[in-house]
Amino acid sequence: MSEFEAELVVDRRESVADGVLSLTLRHPLGEELPAWEPGAHVDLVLGPGLERQYSLCGDPADRSGWRIAVLWEPEGRGGSAHVHERMGRGDKVRVRGPRNHFALRPARRYRFIAGGIGITPIVPMLSAARAAGAEWTLLYGGRTRASMAFLDELALYGDRVTVAPQDETGLLDLGSVLDGLPVGTLVYCCGPGPLLDAVEERCPPDVLHVERFRPKEQQQAGGDVEFEVVLARCDRTLTVAPGVSVLDTVRAAGVDVLYSCTEGTCGTCETDVLEGTPDHRDSVLTDTEREAGETMMICVSRCRGRRLVLDL
């Protein structure tokens, strides 16, 4: 399994809101970058042990560069500080991807809901929905108007976009968007955990698509007990100990696998399950995908029984 990975150059750096920095990344030789679709994100390898995922928020038709936006998080884990303080125009950064677990599915109608920096994957979805002739609206919330990115771009859509800064309008009126959804409507939501939780409580799961920047608290189906994992392609059987992830077990055995966040949010380590029942603990798969049990995120998920066979 392989994917695009290269050193890209920061071609443009601009502030798009208070505390939000937009970067445009290009190939140093001017080559086109891989195609992507709305909802995709890339990994930035900022240093040893410092890898972060950022949604692509530019124009998918423009393969000359990838645009991302990064929120300054003083209490974060160091990724945003590195980008804001140390990455300038002309600097290089290793990038992997793109990867998409938040793809825009065809629909007659869309209701988009974004909170804060959660607007980033939504921006290219709006253009795609308009191009497809779909009916759509966006409800966009933030702490203050000044903290909300891309307002100038969103203003071009007129009254399809409702901008609701919390200091002006209070909490988002989710009922105005989610109550009485017409048949054929899909809901796409990205933002802080409390917003996503509130939307999940009000929205039928079969129409809802969310992307989380932080892991969702999981109700674990099974205990954290020892089990076997069979690597079908390697013809090896390993023991996964309590408190040790499948990912760490596989890597300790010398098997090279792709991974990034190690929190079950980015989807990089998604692996096909050939036999056994996963104990899903990720924040990526839908309920339907979990029930199917065809793949799992090996950085956090475990086994409901005593044995898993993986396509590794």
Side-chain angles (χ1 to χ4, degrees):
M1 181 180 179
S2 62
E3 62 181 353
F4 174 83
E5 182 171 348
E7 296 279 347
L8 300 185
V9 177
V10 178
D11 179 65
R12 187 175 182 182
R13 171 186 166 114
E14 60 179 331
S15 175
V16 291
D18 288 350
V20 181
L21 182 66
S22 173
L23 301 179
T24 300
L25 309 173
R26 304 191 190 278
H27 195 284
L29 300 179
E31 297 178 6
E32 285 192 338
L33 299 176
W36 60 280
E37 295 181 350
H41 68 264
V42 293
D43 300 338
L44 265 59
V45 184
L46 302 173
L50 190 61
E51 301 179 14
R52 296 294 182 266
Q53 294 75 45
Y54 298 105
S55 297
L56 294 174
C57 54
D59 179 3
D62 180 8
R63 296 181 57 184
S64 68
W66 284 342
R67 183 176 74 167
I68 62 172
V70 181
L71 171 67
W72 169 257
E73 298 182 276
E75 305 303 320
R77 298 180 297 155
S80 69
H82 183 103
V83 172
H84 277 253
E85 296 177 349
R86 300 177 60 181
M87 288 183 62
R89 191 171 186 274
D91 287 342
K92 292 184 177 181
V93 59
R94 180 154 292 275
V95 183
R96 290 197 301 254
R99 198 175 304 112
N100 200 341
H101 286 275
F102 193 45
L104 185 67
R105 304 184 187 279
R108 287 179 290 172
R109 302 177 186 85
Y110 297 99
R111 296 294 179 262
F112 298 107
I113 303 172
I117 198 62
I119 191 62
T120 51
I122 301 296
V123 167
M125 291 185 177
L126 305 182
S127 179
R130 181 177 64 174
E135 184 272 314
W136 64 267
T137 62
L138 165 66
L139 177 60
Y140 178 24
R143 292 180 292 102
T144 65
R145 191 175 296 270
S147 72
M148 300 171 69
F150 305 124
L151 290 184
D152 290 346
E153 295 179 29
L154 297 175
L156 300 177
Y157 293 114
D159 60 7
R160 287 191 176 192
V161 175
T162 299
V163 176
Q166 186 173 349
D167 65 339
E168 298 177 20
T169 64
L171 296 177
L172 291 180
D173 181 7
L174 298 179
S176 66
V177 177
L178 300 177
D179 291 350
L181 286 174
V183 175
T185 304
L186 293 182
V187 177
Y188 279 78
C189 181
C190 185
L195 171 62
L196 301 187
D197 293 341
V199 171
E200 287 181 337
E201 289 180 2
R202 302 189 67 129
C203 190
D206 59 327
V207 305
L208 178 61
H209 300 269
V210 302
E211 181 168 65
R212 292 181 177 270
F213 297 138
R214 297 286 182 271
K216 182 179 180 180
E217 185 175 346
Q218 302 292 331
Q219 295 294 326
Q220 297 176 5
D224 196 358
V225 298
E226 179 180 290
F227 62 94
E228 286 188 346
V229 59
V230 179
L231 310 184
R233 279 187 275 161
C234 300
D235 193 23
R236 298 181 64 180
T237 299
L238 307 175
T239 299
V240 181
V244 180
S245 70
V246 176
L247 173 64
D248 287 343
T249 302
V250 169
R251 293 185 64 237
V255 179
D256 188 25
V257 292
L258 289 174
Y259 71 98
S260 184
C261 73
T262 70
E263 294 182 323
T265 59
C266 75
T268 305
C269 69
E270 184 173 11
T271 302
D272 289 341
V273 178
L274 305 180
E275 294 180 29
T277 304
D279 176 10
H280 296 291
R281 304 184 183 184
D282 66 276
S283 301
V284 176
L285 297 176
T286 65
D287 289 343
T288 299
E289 291 168 334
R290 289 179 173 222
E291 291 176 8
E294 296 176 352
T295 67
M296 65 183 288
M297 307 302 157
I298 62 174
C299 66
V300 291
S301 297
R302 300 182 68 82
C303 180
R304 289 192 179 185
R306 293 297 182 181
R307 184 174 180 268
L308 281 175
V309 181
L310 303 180
D311 186 23
L312 290 174

